[in-house]
């Protein structure tokens, strides 16, 4: 069966209704029952309880729950309570961040027209839009929202704004004739679509699709079936959690075996193995990551980027591909005059001189032969016409002043068949008909041309020159209008017959220009190893011209239309995307496939957009970025991040923030794991050497929950640096636990472990309790000092950077106060199973702890020098 746009009006009516007559009352009820209401079906949302329980799916959290249960069964109630409180607080934090209502479908509903004018029982009546059904005939006029998809039956200069659906910035001139062959959505000029807006003219259409069967409905289905991607950090932390858990369980099993072998009871050996697991697992890691990401969102909000999904903060730092919509994202979404062509000269908009008679005349004619208005910044009318009057405002010739001076006495309105419009005014030259229209059409109606202030017969050479100029403008992605005029008798009522034997005046070329900051932002992306790609519903010539200006397109072979990829398999598309930087005339399905093809090649993909047509791809992308000012509510709800200034350059700033956040989270993980590794080594050594266990379970909990968490959070808030933008994006499958990272954790943990056992041996000369006290104090203080080592992979001692993090200095000071209080206040000794230290013993504890700083800094200096 043919598509509706390929059918004649009569064929379409018969295909839908079985006849050319409007629906009867009985047919309306039958169709409403058959097709249902003209509304979008909403998906069931997760309950708060479901979201809360999902926070416990993490592998590390499950091990901690098991540890808490075992601790409780073995009588260690305090340990069990502390563990459960920590993981519950983390789950609450995660739930609060996750409850961002999915309002995409609600917003799509809001786009539907509240009322529609339908032809029923011989009359035009208003009905709620949800009662419109397949087969209805809907009447349209300027200012109406289109309530359903349909085939145009009548058309009087109907022009429809479909930018939210197709991404095309200009209104579409509609026609009623059938279209031959398959064409993309944006070229189906005899169809109208739900959610679009009538900007000019009037007409009627036959409803062919309602609710979920409209193009907007198909986007709603795509939103349902498009799964949100885990960010690189989420995947890394999942992978990290599993590897770390297995590693810790192996250590604990070894320790349990050694303890039983040495004659300890199975209960005691098991309890200590559990305590060690609790110590080794960084319980606070999830909370620390959440807090660091939350601070990241606050910083980005100050820089015009609102983050809806917390992990997107870091995810942006991993992006290697940015797929961007053109209209309103890279461009201003506002048609602007770029060039005049008058009396054989091409003049840029900035160089227009109203002292020149011909240029002034062209400006005046463009304001008079124009139906648009701009009052108090509110533009009404076709974007190309508003561009013409805005140019007048810039040049000090406001439209209202010019129109008041030369009022309109008659007109022949624009229609898409003639592709022109004419108006009549009394100018200095007398009663004058001013005409504007398509270049090819107008050149067939002119007999004269204005040259050097004189009117002379137009020659074939003149026409050739004008056509060449038009071609040049068109290749540059510019929309071109031609202007002509002729003197007519006073009090003439203009008709179509008057539009001939005119004098050619000039051309005006316009375009939706790139944002001023787009070019610099694209260059910054490329420098940071990110490939920018333009995906748009607009025409290829226009898209390529913009992409060339801002540096996305280097060669014309890197641009293609959506039709090219229509019949490609996913494998073929995967190979094809590598060489393409610009995609034009694409559908929402194409956008999803392009994003997915890059993801399948192992890339982290960000998609930016502002239209309804962008929403499914925004959701499919790893990081969806919507525009806050020009963006539709649908696109905002599908996105992970919203730009409040609609500035593409803000994305680049967000990438920099993301890379810094990841670097800081990695520093916090390094800090936690190297400290935990030191504790494990100390316990393992003591077990193998037959020494008493150096730490009580309460020591390990104190270190984990108090003296570890604050420096880790502080490291997460380390000041940002622009140097991260000189690095290439990290691979999607790169684990946090790289060889280099593990070697740093191992070496640093080993150094801290040695200092801890030196302290243990010194105390052991006097008593096992003093040994345990000194080992606990040294490990705790060493980890506080170690925070400064984890600021960078390079040495920071004796540099300005050593003292540039006030949070870390504060965490260090507070930690020292807490551990000193535990050592010196007798009331705390029984709780923490320590004894009072004299001044010499305190100095030994602090001295061994501080020794870690120069030793590890020297190791970092050596590693830097030998390039490791």
């Amino acid at each position: 069966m043919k598509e509706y746009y390929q059918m004649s009006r009569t064929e379409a009516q018969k295909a839908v209704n079985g006849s050319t007559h409007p629906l009867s009352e009985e047919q309306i009820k039958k169709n409403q029952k058959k097709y249902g209401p003209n509304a979008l079906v909403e998906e069931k949302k997760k309950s708060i309880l479901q979201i809360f329980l999902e926070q416990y799916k993490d592998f590390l959290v499950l091990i901690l729950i098991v540890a808490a249960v075992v601790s409780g069964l073995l009588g260690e109630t305090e340990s069990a309570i502390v563990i459960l409180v920590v993981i519950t607080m983390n789950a609450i934090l995660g739930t609060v961040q996750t409850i961002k209502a999915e309002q995409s479908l609600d917003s799509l509903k809001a786009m539907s027209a509240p009322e529609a004018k339908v032809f029923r029982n011989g009359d035009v009546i208003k009905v709620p839009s949800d009662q419109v059904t397949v087969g209805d005939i809907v009447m349209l006029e300027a200012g109406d929202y289109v309530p359903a998809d349909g085939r145009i039956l009548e058309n009087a200069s109907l022009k429809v704004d479909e930018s939210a659906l197709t991404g095309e910035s200009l209104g579409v001139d509609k026609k009623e004739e059938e279209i031959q062959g398959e064409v993309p959505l944006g070229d189906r000029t005899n169809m109208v679509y739900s959610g679009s807006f009538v900007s000019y003219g009037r007409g009627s259409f036959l409803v062919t699709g309602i609710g979920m069967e409209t193009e907007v409905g198909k986007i709603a289905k795509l939103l349902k079936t498009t799964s949100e991607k885990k960010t690189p950090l989420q995947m890394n932390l999942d992978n990290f959690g599993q590897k770390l858990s297995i590693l810790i369980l192996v250590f604990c099993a070894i320790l349990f075996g050694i303890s039983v072998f040495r004659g300890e009871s199975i209960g005691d050996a098991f309890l200590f193995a559990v305590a060690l697991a609790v110590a080794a697992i960084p319980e606070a890691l999830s909370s620390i990551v959440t807090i660091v990401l939350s601070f990241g969102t606050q910083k980005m909000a100050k820089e015009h980027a609102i983050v809806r999904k917390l992990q997107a903060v870091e995810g942006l730092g991993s992006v290697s591909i940015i797929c961007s919509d053109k209209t309103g994202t890279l461009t201003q979404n506002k048609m602007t005059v770029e060039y005049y062509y008058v009396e054989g000269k091409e003049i840029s908009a900035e160089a227009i001189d109203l002292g020149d008679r011909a240029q002034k005349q062209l400006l005046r004619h463009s304001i008079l032969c124009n139906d648009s208005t701009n009052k108090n910044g509110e533009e009404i009318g076709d974007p190309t016409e508003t561009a013409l009057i805005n140019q007048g405002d810039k040049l000090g010739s406001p439209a209202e002043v010019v129109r008041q001076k030369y009022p309109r006495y008659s007109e022949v309105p624009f229609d898409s068949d003639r592709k022109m419009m004419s108006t009549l005014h009394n100018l200095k030259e007398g009663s004058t008909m001013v005409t504007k229209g398509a270049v090819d059409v107008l050149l067939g109606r002119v007999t004269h041309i204005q040259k050097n202030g004189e009117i002379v017969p137009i020659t074939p050479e003149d026409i050739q020159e004008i056509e060449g100029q038009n071609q040049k403008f068109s290749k540059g992605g510019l929309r071109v209008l031609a202007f002509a005029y002729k003197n007519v008798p006073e009090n003439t009522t203009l008709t179509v017959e008057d539009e001939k034997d005119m004098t050619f005046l000039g051309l005006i070329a316009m375009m939706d220009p790139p944002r001023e900051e787009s070019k610099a932002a694209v260059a910054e992306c490329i420098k940071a190893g990110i490939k920018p790609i333009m995906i748009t519903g607009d025409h290829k010539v226009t898209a390529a011209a913009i992409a060339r200006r801002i540096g996305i397109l280097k060669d014309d072979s890197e641009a293609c239309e959506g039709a090219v990829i229509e019949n490609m398999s996913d494998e073929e598309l995967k190979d094809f995307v590598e060489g393409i930087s610009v995609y034009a005339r694409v559908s929402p399905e194409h956008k999803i496939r392009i994003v997915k093809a890059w993801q399948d090649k192992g890339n982290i993909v960000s998609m930016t957009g502002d239209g309804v047509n962008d929403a499914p791809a925004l959701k499919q992308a790893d990081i969806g970025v919507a525009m806050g000012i020009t963006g539709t509510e649908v696109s905002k709800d599908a996105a992970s991040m919203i730009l409040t200034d609609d500035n593409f350059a803000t994305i680049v700033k967000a990438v920099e923030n993301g890379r810094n956040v990841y670097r800081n989270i990695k520093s916090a993980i390094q800090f936690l794991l190297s400290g935990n590794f030191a504790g494990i080594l100390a316990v393992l050594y003591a077990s193998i050497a037959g020494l008493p266990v150096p730490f009580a379970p309460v020591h390990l909990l104190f270190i984990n929950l108090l003296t570890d968490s604050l420096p880790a959070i502080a490291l997460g808030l380390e000041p940002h640096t622009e140097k991260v933008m000189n690095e290439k994006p990290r691979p999607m499958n790169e684990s946090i636990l790289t060889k280099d990272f593990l070697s740093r954790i191992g070496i640093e943990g080993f150094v801290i472990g040695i200092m801890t056992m030196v302290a243990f041996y010194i105390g052991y000369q006097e008593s096992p309790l003093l040994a345990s006290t000194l080992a606990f104090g040294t490990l705790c203080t060493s980890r506080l000092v170690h925070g400064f080592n984890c600021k960078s992979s390079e040495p920071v001692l004796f540099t300005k950077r050593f003292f540039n993090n006030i949070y870390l200095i504060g965490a260090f000071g507070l930690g020292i106060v807490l551990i000193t209080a535990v050592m010196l206040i007798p009331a705390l000794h029984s709780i923490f199973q320590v004894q009072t230290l004299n001044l010499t013993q305190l100095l030994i504890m602090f001295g061994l702890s501080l020794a870690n700083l120069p030793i590890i800094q020297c190791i970092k200096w050596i590693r830097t020098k030998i390039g490791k």
Side-chain angles (χ1 to χ4, degrees):
M1 182 183 156
K2 290 197 289 188
E3 297 285 345
Y4 290 116
Y5 65 84
Q6 296 167 335
M7 298 179 186
S8 68
R9 289 173 288 179
T10 306
E11 284 176 325
Q13 283 179 291
K14 285 181 179 176
V16 175
N17 291 341
S19 75
T20 56
H21 301 297
L23 294 176
S24 65
E25 201 65 47
E26 188 184 333
Q27 282 176 303
I28 290 165
K29 287 177 182 173
K30 190 178 172 185
N31 282 7
Q32 284 176 336
K33 190 176 179 183
K34 180 181 176 182
Y35 297 107
N38 181 26
L40 298 171
V41 179
E42 192 170 346
E43 195 176 29
K44 193 180 175 186
K45 292 184 172 75
K46 286 180 184 176
S47 68
I48 293 173
L49 181 63
Q50 275 179 295
I51 294 168
F52 178 74
L53 292 175
E54 279 179 3
Q55 308 302 312
Y56 291 95
K57 280 160 68 175
D58 184 85
F59 198 57
L60 278 175
V61 173
L62 292 174
I63 287 181
L64 283 172
I65 291 171
V66 171
V69 171
V70 172
S71 296
L73 291 173
L74 294 173
E76 291 289 324
T77 314
E78 297 89 346
S79 299
I81 290 169
V82 169
I83 296 166
L84 290 173
V85 166
V86 169
I87 57 179
T88 304
M89 281 172 60
N90 184 57
I92 292 167
L93 261 175
T95 305
V96 169
Q97 292 297 339
T98 307
I99 300 169
K100 300 282 185 184
E102 284 290 334
Q103 297 164 334
S104 299
L105 294 167
D106 294 340
S107 301
L108 280 164
K109 283 181 177 180
M111 282 195 65
S112 304
E115 280 191 324
K117 298 188 283 285
V118 294
F119 187 73
R120 290 180 181 173
N121 302 318
D123 288 316
V124 175
I125 59 168
K126 284 186 177 181
V127 298
S129 66
D130 62 355
Q131 290 181 21
V132 172
T133 192
V134 173
D136 261 328
I137 293 172
V138 178
M139 317 305 288
L140 293 174
E141 58 186 49
D144 287 346
Y145 271 100
V146 180
D149 288 6
R151 170 71 167 84
I152 290 173
L153 299 177
E154 293 174 347
N155 169 35
S157 304
L158 191 66
K159 190 175 269 196
V160 179
D161 179 354
E162 295 176 350
S163 60
L165 271 173
T166 65
E168 187 167 350
S169 49
L170 297 171
V172 180
D173 292 317
K174 294 296 178 180
K175 62 179 186 180
E176 58 266 34
E177 294 82 13
E178 66 263 39
I179 295 166
Q180 301 300 319
E182 284 192 27
V183 294
L185 186 77
D187 294 332
R188 296 172 192 171
T189 49
N190 58 8
M191 300 287 290
V192 287
Y193 298 103
S194 176
S196 52
F197 177 77
V198 180
S199 58
Y200 191 86
R202 56 186 172 76
S204 66
F205 73 93
L206 171 76
V207 176
T208 58
I210 61 169
M212 296 301 283
E213 297 309 310
T214 61
E215 290 300 323
V216 168
K218 288 175 189 173
I219 291 172
K221 283 180 192 170
L222 282 174
L223 280 170
K224 276 185 173 184
T225 56
T226 305
S227 58
E228 288 186 47
K229 296 282 168 273
K230 280 191 172 185
T231 67
L233 182 66
Q234 285 172 306
M235 291 188 286
N236 267 334
L237 287 177
D238 288 348
N239 178 268
F240 163 73
Q242 288 174 11
K243 284 183 181 175
L244 183 65
S245 302
I246 292 163
L247 209 62
I248 289 166
L249 291 175
V250 168
F251 264 113
C252 291
I254 292 168
L255 185 67
F256 175 74
I258 291 169
S259 300
V260 171
F261 181 74
R262 285 177 52 211
E264 284 185 36
S265 71
I266 289 176
D268 287 347
F270 190 71
L271 182 61
F272 194 75
V274 168
L276 185 66
V278 173
I281 294 172
E283 292 95 334
L285 179 59
S286 296
S287 302
I288 288 163
V289 169
T290 304
I291 290 163
V292 172
L293 290 175
S294 298
F295 272 94
T297 63
Q298 289 172 29
K299 180 174 170 57
M300 287 167 80
K302 291 173 189 169
E303 293 168 355
H304 310 292
I306 295 172
V307 177
R308 290 185 65 247
K309 292 160 190 173
L310 203 61
Q311 283 81 7
V313 178
E314 176 280 330
L316 270 158
S318 318
V319 164
S320 51
I321 304 288
I322 296 181
C323 295
S324 176
D325 184 43
K326 175 185 72 69
T327 308
T329 307
L330 290 164
T331 67
Q332 297 172 20
N333 198 18
K334 185 175 182 177
M335 291 298 283
T336 308
V337 171
E338 295 274 312
Y339 295 100
Y340 274 13
Y341 173 76
V342 64
E343 294 197 334
K345 291 182 293 218
E346 180 187 301
I347 303 140
S348 70
E350 296 78 28
I352 294 170
D353 176 16
L354 295 189
D356 181 282
R357 181 178 171 274
Q359 292 177 42
K360 187 174 183 180
Q361 189 179 2
L362 183 57
L363 174 68
R364 187 192 304 138
H365 285 199
S366 70
I367 293 170
L368 295 175
C369 189
N370 189 321
D371 289 329
S372 68
T373 59
N374 184 354
K375 289 180 182 174
N376 304 319
E378 187 183 348
E379 296 176 357
I380 300 170
D382 185 79
T384 53
E385 290 200 323
T386 54
L388 298 173
I389 62 168
N390 288 342
Q391 185 62 30
D393 288 340
K394 286 178 194 172
L395 295 168
S397 289
E400 56 269 28
V401 174
V402 176
R403 289 169 180 172
Q404 201 171 0
K405 190 174 181 183
Y406 305 109
R408 185 184 296 184
Y409 294 107
S410 183
E411 66 180 297
V412 184
F414 174 86
D415 79 55
S416 52
D417 290 331
R418 284 171 30 254
K419 293 185 179 176
M420 65 174 80
M421 73 176 283
S422 300
T423 56
L424 180 66
H425 309 268
N426 274 332
L427 306 179
K428 291 174 185 174
E429 301 82 21
S431 183
T432 306
M433 179 184 76
V434 178
T435 303
K436 81 161 186 283
V439 179
D440 55 340
V441 175
L442 227 62
L443 283 179
R445 309 279 185 109
V446 297
T447 53
H448 291 74
I449 186 169
Q450 186 172 298
K451 282 184 175 181
N452 301 320
E454 292 182 13
I455 297 171
V456 296
I458 197 164
T459 64
E461 288 78 20
D462 291 329
I463 290 174
Q464 196 175 354
E465 190 181 325
I466 294 163
E467 286 174 340
Q469 187 65 41
N470 179 43
Q471 205 170 15
K472 181 187 171 186
F473 284 148
S474 298
K475 277 184 179 173
L478 298 162
R479 182 177 172 86
V480 188
L481 288 175
F483 288 81
Y485 66 94
K486 82 170 184 181
N487 292 333
V488 294
E490 282 192 26
N491 303 321
T492 297
T493 300
L494 293 182
T495 67
V496 175
E497 297 303 315
D498 293 306
E499 293 176 330
K500 61 184 179 183
D501 303 328
M502 294 180 284
T503 299
F504 179 82
L505 176 58
L507 305 175
I508 298 181
M510 291 158 281
M511 83 181 312
D512 177 12
R515 293 176 172 275
E516 288 177 17
E517 60 283 343
S518 289
K519 189 170 184 177
V522 165
E524 188 74 12
C525 279
I526 294 166
K527 177 186 148 196
I530 301 165
K531 181 180 173 73
I533 293 168
M534 181 190 286
I535 304 179
T536 178
D538 217 335
H539 292 278
K540 181 179 167 182
V541 172
T542 311
I546 295 289
R548 209 176 289 111
R549 277 195 190 195
I550 59 179
I552 288 178
L553 189 69
K554 298 288 185 286
D555 189 271
D556 286 350
S557 64
E558 294 175 12
C560 79
E561 292 199 342
V564 175
I565 66 171
E566 182 71 44
N567 298 315
M568 282 186 186
S569 68
D570 290 344
E571 278 303 311
E572 288 171 328
L573 183 60
K574 214 161 99 174
D575 296 330
F576 181 73
V577 292
E578 197 75 53
I580 302 296
S581 300
V582 175
Y583 297 87
R585 307 307 275 167
V586 292
S587 67
E589 291 90 344
H590 292 152
K591 292 185 180 189
I592 289 180
R593 288 192 67 205
I594 293 162
V595 168
K596 197 168 182 308
W598 278 111
Q599 287 172 331
D600 290 344
K601 288 173 78 71
N603 291 281
I604 306 290
V605 182
S606 172
M607 170 78 193
T608 74
D610 60 354
V612 177
N613 59 326
D614 297 319
L618 288 173
K619 200 171 177 184
Q620 170 69 38
D622 297 285
I623 309 292
V625 182
M627 302 295 129
I629 301 169
T630 57
T632 57
E633 288 305 309
V634 188
S635 66
K636 291 177 196 173
D637 293 335
S640 313
M641 187 173 88
I642 299 159
L643 306 183
T644 56
D645 60 354
D646 283 15
N647 189 334
F648 183 79
T650 303
I651 300 168
V652 182
K653 193 69 186 163
V655 168
E656 186 185 306
N657 271 329
R659 289 188 178 187
N660 275 295
V661 164
Y662 180 75
R663 186 203 63 178
N664 290 351
I665 287 173
K666 208 168 171 182
S667 296
I669 291 171
Q670 182 186 340
F671 168 77
L672 291 170
L673 292 190
S674 49
N676 286 4
F677 185 58
I680 290 171
L681 284 179
V683 171
L684 204 57
Y685 174 80
S687 296
I688 293 166
L691 297 167
V693 176
F695 313 112
V698 71
H699 293 165
L700 301 175
L701 280 171
F702 178 86
I703 291 168
N704 263 8
L705 301 181
L706 292 172
T707 56
D708 257 12
S709 298
L710 294 177
I713 292 168
L715 282 167
L717 305 178
E718 186 74 10
H720 289 190
T721 169
E722 291 178 2
K723 285 181 182 177
V724 291
M725 292 304 276
N726 297 327
E727 301 163 8
K728 297 296 176 196
R730 70 178 190 276
M732 186 166 102
N733 55 0
E734 183 184 280
S735 168
I736 291 176
L737 300 175
T738 59
K739 281 183 182 177
D740 180 60
F741 191 65
L742 282 171
S743 72
R744 273 186 276 156
I745 288 169
I747 291 167
E748 291 164 16
F750 184 71
V751 172
I752 296 170
I754 287 174
M755 296 301 166
T756 303
M757 288 315 294
V758 168
F760 180 86
Y761 270 116
I762 291 170
Y764 196 54
Q765 306 301 316
E766 189 175 311
S767 72
L769 182 59
L770 179 59
S772 177
T773 303
L774 276 176
F776 165 52
T778 303
L779 180 62
C780 197
T781 313
S782 293
R783 291 171 82 150
L784 291 171
V785 171
H786 188 50
F788 293 94
N789 286 321
C790 294
K791 285 170 69 71
S792 173
S793 57
E794 298 171 354
V796 293
L797 197 60
F798 309 121
T799 67
K800 287 181 183 176
R801 194 170 171 186
F802 191 81
F803 294 108
N804 72 345
N805 187 343
I806 55 166
Y807 303 107
L808 188 59
I809 294 166
F812 174 78
L814 182 60
I816 291 294
V817 168
L818 289 172
I819 190 63
T820 306
V822 167
M823 296 300 166
L824 297 181
I825 298 172
L828 298 174
H829 291 171
S830 60
I831 298 170
F832 289 100
Q833 298 175 32
V834 294
Q835 72 173 57
T836 304
L837 297 182
N838 59 37
L839 183 60
T840 305
Q841 290 161 346
L842 263 179
L843 289 174
I844 289 169
M845 182 185 89
F846 287 133
L848 287 169
S849 302
L850 283 169
N852 287 297
L853 186 63
I855 294 169
I856 292 172
Q857 288 291 300
C858 281
I859 293 168
K860 284 179 183 284
W861 183 81
I862 293 165
R863 285 170 70 95
T864 306
K865 288 297 173 187
I866 59 176
K868 286 186 179 177

